[in-house]
Amino acid sequence: MTKKTCASVDRLEGDYIICISDENSEEILLKRSDYPLLCEKDVIEIVFENGTPVSVEKNQNESEKRLETNSQRLRSLFKRNK
């Protein structure tokens, strides 16, 4: 069974990339050696085949959009606390 999900790279730990699924906030572990170009805060599309990730693709537009949204939230919080 093939399934596609969107996730964000939460952190890099040792040999693993820990991602958080947008769908259900579940942790997804990827081998760092399989995807060496992924960085923290990247938004990715993961295709699973029978529960095993078979492909990962960065979604640069979504990554930039989320970073901007978070920056705006942070600026808004600082303005309220002045």
Side-chain angles (χ1 to χ4, degrees):
M1 180 174 92
T2 301
K3 179 183 175 189
K4 185 175 183 180
T5 190
C6 188
S8 57
V9 176
D10 183 54
R11 63 191 182 278
L12 308 175
E13 269 187 21
D15 295 333
Y16 292 96
I17 300 167
I18 292 84
C19 305
I20 305 297
S21 168
D22 288 355
E23 191 175 294
N24 55 15
S25 298
E26 191 173 282
E27 280 190 357
I28 300 167
L29 295 178
L30 301 173
K31 289 183 182 178
R32 206 169 178 176
S33 59
D34 292 344
Y35 308 101
L37 300 178
L38 292 181
C39 302
E40 292 175 351
K41 299 180 185 144
D42 281 343
V43 177
I44 56 176
E45 300 285 335
I46 307 170
V47 176
F48 292 91
E49 188 68 45
N50 297 319
T52 302
V54 292
S55 74
V56 173
E57 186 177 319
K58 284 187 186 184
N59 185 334
Q60 192 64 34
N61 291 333
E62 185 65 22
S63 294
E64 290 170 6
K65 185 174 139 185
R66 289 183 189 190
L67 283 172
E68 180 57 31
T69 299
N70 289 338
S71 293
Q72 288 175 357
R73 284 185 189 155
L74 191 58
R75 284 192 298 272
S76 177
L77 285 172
F78 280 121
K79 285 179 184 178
R80 277 197 261 160
N81 290 327
K82 282 187 175 182

